[in-house]
Amino acid sequence: MNRTRCAIYTRKSSEDGLEQEFNSLDAQREACEAYILSQKHEGWICLAETYDDGGLSGGTLDRPALKRLLTDVRTGKVDQIVVYKIDRLTRSLADFSKIVDVLDAADASFVSVTQSFNTATSMGRLTLNMLLSFAQFEREVTAERIRDKISASKRKGLWMGGNVPLGYRPDGRTLTVHEPEADTVRQLYSLYQQHKRIRLVKEQADRRKLRTGIRQKADGTQRGGGPFSFGHIHHILTNPIYAGRIRHKTKVYDGQHPPLIEPELWDALQVDLQANARSSRMGRLRSRGGRKTIASPLLGRLFDETGDRLTPSHTKTGQGKRLRYYISHRLTRDPRSRHPSAWRLPAPELEAAIGQAIRRHLSKPETVANLLIDANTARIAQTQSLIDQISGGGDYLSLLELVTRVDLQAGSLSIALDRAVLAEVLDTQPNRLVSGCLLFTAPFQLQRRGVETKLVIGGQRKHRDETLLRNIAKGHRYFGLIMAGESYAQIAEAENTSKRMVQHLTELAFLSPEIVEQICEGSQPPRLTTEWLKRHKIPVLWSEQRALFAGL
């Protein structure tokens, strides 16, 4: 008789009750052991190794015991996984599919004690998928209920937990004022009313030896009690909790806790903060080093792949309209000579595209989180707020003042940001900025249509050409019919189209797999469309296709 080595897996979502001598994990294991014992005549034996995940959600595979179990399955130590219920293993269809792949590769299976099926049969897998669908649905509905409960509670002004703000202490579902922390908060607001600058508020707060609140963590250690940072001060000044309100995402509701600052005073202070931030930001960005905004804001900061600087140029149309360009400097030295590698780019489109690339880079959560050395949560929040201010709206020209150098090359460009200017905008010291966040690359493409040049720079979402994909599929089908003996005319009649169209689409069946993969991903050259392919002869050799399409 063949032996079936069974591993029992148990899980509990919360830690409640795990400290008991006999808990939920023990009950699950006991039921599974009894089931394995009942299958002793089939050669089932229970492995002594335990796989228990206490206090972990079933919505992810990132569980220590489960990872260890799947490793043992891969190495052939386990033939059968036994669980009390299927949702103990996972509540996600996608994760279940991954687990089944591991089981199939190791020729192992899965059994649920309270649900009489296993993955060794097709019916068992169908039933599992159905139950997992309901388990995932239940998990998502529960999450929605929790989110709805939190939203409804905050609309009523209730405190729903989280980091307790300075100046308050939790009291059930509300907050009570805690002195002398409350007096510290009032002093910070008063200092901003006097000086209108967070940097000056920090200087005064340090002179007065104002300190952050001391909080005791669950492990008994304490944190806080140090001087205020710029970010912490900005967070306190913009937190509606001090005006007696509760924030939920983008909405603010009247709270049930007492305010530390009069709501009218808090509202007026927010207007001052926003006005000062915008005025300061635009002053810094538009007057970099005392220089005013110029007609060509990227002057002296654009270089091509040969190291040649791009210089501003312009021409006028018959109607007197002035068209600006950035061209490789070698073209200005010898205008009559042909330089195949030289660049000639429309200035407004290039400036707008680089500004948008900077906006996308600075708006990424990973950029905000890693931009400052040793930043705390409050400082990251302040940085996010300042970045939102300088990167919001459509004024890309101000963002160009952050640029110190842009290097162009076919397919991508590299943008370096000015450390000193960005540090001034973010109210920090230049040496606190992480160098890796000041240099980034972005995809770069030129799309030419006649005399018009369109720039596609960085982070733009790829769009698959569904029409082209459908026509490629038709081309393969038409080619199959031709190989089966049908003529172009017969196919055209059956498809209610022209013979010429059938011929055009049949040629698409000879596109190289590399080109077809690019089309599926939406990364093919912008001009590679069905209409372009109809007007041009497609080479049979894939290497010639690659060379032809590379020039689009």
Side-chain angles (χ1 to χ4, degrees), residues 4 12 37 55 98 104 129 133 140 197 213 233 253 309 385 397 409 432 463 487 490 505 510 516-517 539 550:
T4 301
K12 190 176 186 295
L37 184 61
K98 297 175 184 177
D104 287 345
N129 276 285
S133 297
E140 292 173 355
R197 290 282 294 166
I233 294 174
Y253 306 101
R309 177 172 50 84
S385 176
L397 289 175
Q409 59 182 346
R432 286 186 50 79
H463 293 281
S487 66
Q490 290 173 326
L505 297 186
F510 299 97
V516 175
E517 183 178 0

Side-chain angles (χ1 to χ4, degrees), residues 260-279:
L260 295 184
I261 306 298
E262 290 298 324
E264 295 79 9
L265 176 61
W266 188 90
D267 291 336
L269 189 139
Q270 303 313 302
V271 174
D272 286 344
L273 274 169
Q274 294 175 9
N276 290 341
R278 178 171 179 80
S279 174

Side-chain angles (χ1 to χ4, degrees), residues 414 417 478 510:
S414 176
L417 302 182
Y478 293 167
F510 299 97

Side-chain angles (χ1 to χ4, degrees), residues 180 182-195 200-212 225-228 233:
D183 182 62
T184 300
V185 172
R186 296 188 188 100
Q187 288 189 59
L188 293 176
Y189 273 84
S190 177
L191 287 172
Y192 187 83
Q193 283 184 289
Q194 296 174 31
H195 302 286
L200 297 178
V201 172
K202 174 173 172 51
E203 291 176 359
Q204 293 297 322
D206 290 343
R207 288 194 182 98
R208 296 185 184 188
K209 297 184 179 181
L210 299 181
R211 293 294 183 262
T212 61
F228 285 95
I233 294 174

Side-chain angles (χ1 to χ4, degrees), residues 150-169:
I150 292 175
S151 177
S153 298
K154 288 196 172 184
R155 282 197 299 269
K156 296 179 179 179
L158 299 178
W159 168 254
M160 295 303 292
N163 293 327
V164 181
L166 183 72
Y168 287 104
R169 284 289 182 267

Side-chain angles (χ1 to χ4, degrees), residues 294-302 309-315 322-329 332 344-345 347 351:
I294 57 178
S296 299
L298 292 174
L299 174 66
R301 288 177 278 169
L302 277 173
R309 177 172 50 84
L310 272 69
T311 187
S313 178
H314 73 275
T315 185
R322 189 171 184 268
L323 303 178
R324 293 192 300 116
Y325 297 90
Y326 287 100
I327 63 175
S328 296
H329 188 62
T332 65
R344 181 183 178 87
L345 301 173
E351 292 160 359

Side-chain angles (χ1 to χ4, degrees), residues 278 281-283 285-286 293 351-352 354-356 358-359 389-402:
R278 178 171 179 80
R281 178 180 80 249
M282 298 307 296
L285 292 181
R286 288 194 177 277
T293 302
E351 292 160 359
I354 291 178
Q356 291 164 7
I358 297 172
R359 178 180 294 127
Q389 293 177 28
I390 67 172
S391 64
D395 185 15
Y396 64 83
L397 289 175
S398 61
L399 291 172
L400 297 182
E401 290 297 333
L402 294 174

